[in-house]
Amino acid sequence: DSLLVSTLARFALSFAILFVPCFLMGTMLPLLVRAVTRSEQTIGTRIGALYCWNTLGAALGTLAAGFWMLETLGLRLTNRVAAGDTLLVALAALALSRSMGIAARSEPANGIAPRPAPRLAVPEPATEIPAPGFLLLSVAFLNGVASLVCEGLWVRYLAFLGAQAYVFPTILGVYLLGLGVGGLIYGLLADRIRLSARALGVIELLLAFSVLAAFVAGALVFAGGPPRPLELTGMAFLTLFAPTVL
């Protein structure tokens, strides 16, 4: 009973501290997607680029905090730096919103909207019928479950390779780096992907095999003890990078 009570108390305290900032962070990506997507023709490329830069920044922040800031600056100053960075982003977003609002009010300058150019009858490429919303949401939910289960597994799997303080930032940094590279690749190929549901199915199959293959390969390589040049970082890249890119 005491273990259950202490666990619930820790969860409640963590929830009270983290809920508001995490909730606000969760609203940022949808707002950014809304801001950068102006037409259906460029939506895939723009979201891929947005996701890439967002996750690469997160990877940089993870590695900087885990390997330099916390040791060099300490908890209090690192917290102030993070808050200051968020404040600068807020001011930049407000200034950008103001400039975009002025530009929107000034077009068209003469008050007459330009006449659209006549469109020629061009046969549309073969596309898929949109999947039911519930099915897509279920796929997204299960994909999220699998991703975080794998992350938890990798944390336990790599915990014996280095100091505990560096295991989690290393894994999370490589994890986010792989996600960023995957977003970049999708952004470059988005215009060429016509059947997105089929592409999603193929990628999920590759992901399943890559998770198993990376786990087995890492176990074989490090069975006799991790080589000195690789250690934690090399093992993290060997185990995480390919699955997270997918």
Side-chain angles (χ1 to χ4, degrees), residues 5-181:
V5 171
S6 61
T7 301
L8 292 177
R10 287 194 296 267
F11 175 81
L13 181 60
S14 301
F15 184 86
I17 295 173
L18 298 176
F19 177 75
V20 173
C22 291
F23 170 79
L24 295 175
M25 290 178 186
T27 65
M28 291 181 184
L29 189 59
L31 289 173
L32 288 171
V33 169
R34 177 70 180 273
V36 302
T37 53
R38 298 291 182 178
S39 65
E40 294 184 359
Q41 288 75 18
T42 60
I43 186 171
T45 302
R46 287 179 175 269
I47 291 180
L50 174 64
Y51 190 76
C52 168
W53 286 107
N54 181 261
T55 51
L56 289 180
L60 176 62
T62 299
L63 296 175
F67 287 91
W68 176 69
M69 296 178 69
L70 289 173
E71 285 191 357
T72 305
L73 305 179
L75 288 173
R76 182 176 299 178
L77 188 54
T78 299
N79 193 24
R80 291 176 180 177
V81 170
D85 177 69
T86 305
L87 179 60
L88 290 177
V89 172
L91 294 176
L94 291 174
L96 181 61
S97 174
R98 180 180 176 84
S99 63
M100 291 175 64
I102 294 175
R105 289 193 298 269
S106 63
E107 293 180 0
N110 56 4
I112 302 175
R115 297 180 61 185
R119 297 180 61 183
L120 299 177
V122 179
E124 295 288 337
T127 57
E128 58 188 337
I129 299 175
F134 177 76
L135 178 59
L136 291 177
L137 293 177
S138 300
V139 170
F141 175 80
L142 293 175
N143 186 46
V145 170
S147 299
L148 271 297
V149 167
C150 287
E151 184 178 351
L153 171 66
W154 291 327
V155 170
R156 291 293 187 93
Y157 179 54
L158 300 176
F160 68 94
L161 291 177
Q164 293 295 321
Y166 299 111
V167 170
F168 184 73
T170 299
I171 293 174
L172 186 58
V174 175
Y175 186 95
L176 293 170
L177 180 62
L179 293 181
V181 173

Side-chain angles (χ1 to χ4, degrees), residues 182-205:
L184 174 63
I185 295 174
Y186 172 77
L188 296 174
L189 301 178
D191 294 337
R192 304 180 184 180
I193 299 176
R194 298 298 179 186
L195 301 178
S196 57
R198 179 181 298 175
L200 177 62
V202 172
I203 290 175
E204 290 292 342
L205 286 175

